[in-house]
Amino acid sequence: MVARDLIGAMFLADGAGGVVVETEAYASDDPASHSYRGRTGRNATMFGPAGHLYVYRSYGIHWCANVVCGDDGVGAAVLLRALEPIQGIAEMQARRGLADIALLCSGPGRLCQALGITGEHDGVPLDRPPFELRAAEAPPETISGPRVGISRASERPWRYVLRNSLFVSRPRPLA
DNA sequence: GGCATGATGGCCT
DNA sequence: GGCCATCATGCCA
């Protein structure tokens, strides 16, 4: 599953970013997925080719970034929930107005703010500038568990985190 | 055309 | 721990 493969990958936006430590999968037949009720204006990107970025606004305030992983017309994506800051940390701290590294990218909205990702990045490919996505060199130790932050079908164990990472969005996400 | 809701985060008590 | 900001989307009338 792509959600697990993304754990440990290096994700950079314009030179700022780090290692993916938390993801959550959303399938097309998933009641919690934006693609569940079919293709609409907002989620059109989810139905596009894999390897692109799907960005949407949450609660009118925050941005959330997904990696499209289904093929054309499928409507599947993986939400990037947290990164471990590695590169461009000063830039991310400035954008977040926050010094604490552990909180820089520990959540979907925070991650987008730190990397400067907004709705204008919706639909852009991740394999060329300003973005860079590099798979993990060695399979990291991951844990899966129930998803969080949603009101439907949250019991599907499609949330993945890097074991013992201090940079995930919840203190004790999983055992 | 109008209303309810959300894959969140920050600041309050 | 609880409440609130703030708006695009989606569904209903």
Side-chain angles (χ1 to χ4, degrees):
Chain A
M1 175 162 291
V2 179
R4 174 157 51 215
D5 293 341
L6 277 173
I7 298 290
M10 177 70 69
F11 177 60
L12 300 173
D14 199 22
V19 174
V20 178
V21 297
E22 183 177 2
T23 64
E24 217 164 83
Y26 290 88
S28 54
D29 64 345
D30 178 352
S33 173
H34 287 171
S35 58
Y36 183 59
R37 287 165 219 283
R39 182 176 194 146
T40 65
R42 170 175 64 162
N43 65 24
T45 303
M46 278 183 89
F47 289 85
H52 286 228
L53 195 62
Y54 165 49
V55 184
Y56 70 94
R57 196 195 288 286
S58 174
Y59 292 85
I61 306 172
H62 311 287
W63 294 105
C64 293
N66 302 247
V67 175
V68 178
C69 59
D71 289 325
D72 260 352
V74 172
V78 173
L79 171 69
L80 296 177
R81 291 191 55 90
L83 296 184
E84 175 178 345
I86 303 287
Q87 287 188 33
I89 290 178
E91 193 180 352
M92 292 193 283
Q93 288 173 324
R95 274 197 285 252
R96 293 271 292 118
L98 190 74
D100 191 339
I101 306 244
L103 297 178
L104 267 193
C105 303
S106 63
R110 293 164 173 171
L111 181 157
C112 286
Q113 187 184 4
L115 300 206
I117 295 174
T118 68
E120 57 186 78
H121 296 105
D122 184 42
V124 304
L126 289 166
D127 58 359
R128 52 174 175 250
F131 293 103
E132 183 179 343
L133 184 60
R134 204 164 57 237
E137 295 174 11
E141 189 174 2
T142 61
I143 306 176
S144 64
R147 297 183 292 184
V148 294
I150 51 180
S151 56
R152 290 187 292 270
S154 59
E155 303 317 309
R156 298 196 187 191
W158 290 351
R159 176 174 186 241
Y160 293 88
V161 303
L162 180 64
R163 188 175 185 83
N164 295 331
S165 174
L166 300 174
F167 302 93
V168 298
S169 61
R170 295 217 163 182
R172 297 184 310 281
L174 306 161

